[in-house]
Amino acid sequence: MPNALTRRGVVVLSAVCLACLMFGLEISSVPTILPTLEKVLHADFKQLQWVMNAYTLAVTTVLMAVGALADRYGRKRVFLISIAVFGIASLICGVAADVRTLIVARFLQGMSGGALLICQIAVLSHAFQQGRERAIAWGWWGVIFGIGLGFGPIIGGGIVAVSSWEWVFLIHVLLALIAFLLTLTGVDESKDPLAGRLDIAGILTLSTGVFCIAFYITQGPDLGFTGTTGLVILSVSVASLIAFVIVEKVSARPMFDFSVFGIRPFSGAIIGSAAMNISFWPFMIYLPIWMQAGLGYDSVTAGLALLAYTVPTLVMPPFAERLSLRYQPGLVIPAGLFTIGVGFFLMRFGIVSAHPNWLTMLPGCLAAGIGLGIANTPVTNTTTGSVSSDRAGMASGIDMSARMVSLAVNIAIMGFILASGVAAYLRRALPELDASQIRPLAERISGGDSASIPGLTDPIVHEALATGFGWVALYGGIGVWIMAALSFLTFDAGISRKPKASETGQSQ
């Protein structure tokens, strides 16, 4: 660690960086083991989706609550509890004997992971308040967070190759123990004497609404989208989201202050935040399935191939910052989103080509990663920088919630589109199959399970997967382009000029 930090500062930063590494790895490393989980735990496609969605939905559930809890009861105390629960949940994940236990443990892991994310930001902000040491601390935090997200696929694949899938989770037990001891000995306690009470109604209504819509999309083919059960779940989701808006409007201390959406740069950036999570991040959940089941790669080779998708997100942010200073976020963010869309269309061409391999996927993966790297940092800086300093924490919470909600919903949507594309091909290729057999078969193929299906040839499986993934790439490309246009139109019309300092947080 740099000499500019004190010994205590190094301890605090080490604890925080371990926490952010654990949080990022549990998003990006788990997708590479989904095909393995399908085999060893006999998980079906919907269950594989819930292995990922349980984590992201749980993060969303606690995001806005933990900040208030930490401010009231102590940031160090809540941070320690979060680390301990994350370690225990990781242990349960690692010893899970069936996929249902794993999904429940992933939800617990996600709740503690969301708490880790909020607490580490609060601890870092309190511990490093001076200019140079603050810049060093946040710089290291960003690098480690990026490593967790960017190198997660190869780390997960490598762990499976040298050991077993369980250690993708069990390694966090050791990391959590180290982070706990560092926090216990090095972090000072801090509270906010003016902290308000918890917005329980807001938390419950938002969580219920998001969970029900994800459940409706994921389970819809079985429940019936227009059947009684499906429509009841959809109605509960809509009613909960409407109730959330009403609750936040009348609350004296709302979790979401909707007035900030009147600030055009803030709204444009939030659209960008959601756009990245209807395209780039949910697709990373499914890409390992294509690499392994579609292209025939092992987990390590798939992880290496995915580096083309993730590494550009780490190297592009400094360039994006320079672009933002010169051209304004209102141009840079939509341009980054547009580039993600280009990447998705290139990936679609690579997927449906005559002989797909990592080379046919490379241009699209690189373009999508470059686009994400261009848009991501300006989105974060704009959401917090376009509001007054006393609302920066709330703005950051809205940004992170937008990311997690859109990610959770689009994991479900992409899974539905993937299975639908596979089913469409099977109907054409195997007309003798009964209609009731098509969807279950499509979901098994979409989850990477084809070896145990009698009478199904490799060319049919490959073409079915190519059709499904082609549909998903098309959805991601069109979706992110639409969001790019909305973001561009939402930003202040004067994006070609730099705003005056007095205008920051005032543009309506």
Side-chain angles (χ1 to χ4, degrees):
M1 291 289 179
N3 294 329
L5 300 182
T6 65
R7 181 174 297 180
R8 178 176 287 273
V10 171
V11 173
V12 174
L13 182 57
S14 298
V16 168
C17 284
L18 274 177
C20 78
L21 180 65
M22 291 190 296
F23 178 84
L25 282 176
E26 282 307 282
I27 292 177
S28 64
S29 65
V30 175
T32 59
I33 68 169
L34 292 181
T36 303
L37 295 178
E38 184 275 326
K39 294 170 185 166
V40 298
L41 295 184
H42 309 291
D44 62 33
F45 184 58
K46 293 187 182 70
Q47 289 170 328
L48 294 179
Q49 289 179 273
W50 280 109
V51 168
M52 292 305 305
N53 244 347
Y55 188 86
T56 53
L57 284 171
V59 169
T60 306
T61 301
V62 303
L63 266 180
M64 302 302 290
V66 170
L69 284 172
D71 288 344
R72 171 177 284 193
Y73 298 108
R75 289 147 189 158
K76 176 179 178 178
R77 178 183 299 175
V78 177
F79 193 35
L80 284 169
I81 293 171
S82 303
I83 294 170
V85 175
F86 193 91
I88 293 169
S90 299
L91 177 62
I92 298 172
C93 287
V95 300
D98 59 82
V99 71
R100 291 177 180 83
T101 302
L102 178 59
I103 290 170
V104 173
R106 283 283 285 171
F107 190 85
L108 180 61
Q109 197 184 40
M111 292 183 71
S112 54
L116 278 181
L117 181 64
I118 296 300
C119 287
Q120 66 193 247
I121 293 172
V123 167
L124 208 60
S125 297
H126 182 263
F128 303 100
Q129 300 183 12
Q130 304 305 315
R132 177 163 172 72
E133 69 169 11
R134 185 177 179 85
I136 291 172
W138 281 106
W140 274 98
W141 180 84
V143 168
I144 300 300
F145 200 23
I147 289 173
L149 288 173
F151 287 86
I154 186 60
I155 292 172
I159 289 173
V160 172
V162 301
S163 183
S164 63
W165 68 267
E166 290 93 341
W167 281 98
V168 172
F169 301 108
L170 292 178
I171 193 172
H172 294 292
V173 179
L174 176 61
L175 295 178
L177 178 61
I178 297 171
F180 188 91
L181 294 174
L182 290 172
T183 302
L184 190 66
T185 57
V187 175
D188 293 327
E189 185 60 281
S190 62
K191 299 179 181 180
D192 180 4
L194 302 177
R197 59 189 178 86
L198 212 56
D199 183 7
I200 299 295
I203 295 167
L204 291 177
T205 51
L206 178 62
S207 302
T208 302
V210 174
F211 178 83
C212 286
I213 191 65
F215 189 84
Y216 174 77
I217 296 168
T218 304
Q219 305 298 132
D222 293 334
L223 298 174
F225 287 110
T226 58
T228 302
T229 304
L231 290 177
V232 167
I233 293 171
L234 182 61
S235 300
V236 171
S237 177
V238 172
S240 297
L241 294 175
I242 292 173
F244 170 72
V245 174
I246 295 172
V247 164
E248 297 305 290
K249 286 283 189 181
V250 301
S251 174
R253 290 180 65 91
M255 181 167 71
F256 269 57
D257 181 0
F258 285 98
S259 68
V260 296
F261 288 101
I263 303 171
R264 296 185 67 142
F266 178 86
S267 295
I270 288 295
I271 292 172
S273 182
M276 294 183 292
N277 289 276
I278 72 165
S279 53
F280 186 92
W281 291 115
F283 197 50
M284 195 175 80
I285 307 301
Y286 296 102
L287 263 180
I289 296 176
W290 168 247
M291 296 291 186
Q292 294 183 53
L295 301 182
Y297 297 156
D298 59 32
S299 58
V300 175
T301 306
L304 286 170
L306 283 169
L307 289 179
Y309 193 70
T310 58
V311 168
T313 69
L314 306 181
V315 301
M316 289 304 297
F319 176 66
E321 283 296 286
R322 288 195 291 272
L323 285 177
S324 293
L325 290 173
R326 183 170 182 179
Y327 295 109
Q328 293 292 298
L331 288 174
V332 175
I333 292 172
L337 300 179
F338 181 83
T339 306
I340 294 174
V342 171
F344 268 76
F345 284 109
L346 289 175
M347 281 190 286
R348 184 179 185 278
F349 291 138
I351 288 167
V352 301
S353 63
H355 303 287
N357 54 46
W358 72 271
L359 282 174
T360 65
M361 296 292 295
L362 184 63
C365 287
L366 287 173
I370 289 170
L372 191 284
I374 290 173
N376 192 33
T377 303
V379 162
T380 302
N381 290 347
T382 304
T383 53
T384 55
S386 59
V387 300
S388 57
S389 59
D390 63 314
R391 294 198 288 178
M394 180 271 304
S396 178
I398 293 178
D399 175 28
M400 191 58 66
S401 294
R403 292 172 188 253
M404 290 299 162
V405 168
S406 53
L407 176 60
V409 171
N410 279 278
I411 288 174
I413 291 175
M414 282 193 175
F416 174 76
I417 293 172
L418 172 58
S420 297
V422 172
Y425 179 83
L426 293 178
R427 289 189 191 96
R428 297 194 304 270
L430 302 170
E432 68 276 9
L433 284 181
D434 184 79
S436 62
Q437 298 175 289
I438 293 290
R439 188 76 193 186
L441 187 59
E443 290 180 352
R444 289 180 66 183
I445 293 173
S446 299
D449 175 20
S450 58
S452 61
I453 303 174
L456 210 59
T457 63
D458 287 343
I460 290 178
V461 171
H462 174 82
E463 289 303 319
L465 279 172
T467 300
F469 275 96
W471 284 23
V472 174
L474 189 63
Y475 164 78
I478 293 174
V480 76
W481 272 4
I482 291 173
M483 297 291 277
L486 290 174
S487 177
F488 179 78
L489 294 172
T490 302
F491 271 99
D492 192 350
I495 54 175
S496 59
R497 64 178 179 86
K498 289 282 289 182
K500 299 176 183 178
S502 61
E503 294 176 327
T504 305
Q506 304 297 323
S507 300
Q508 301 292 324

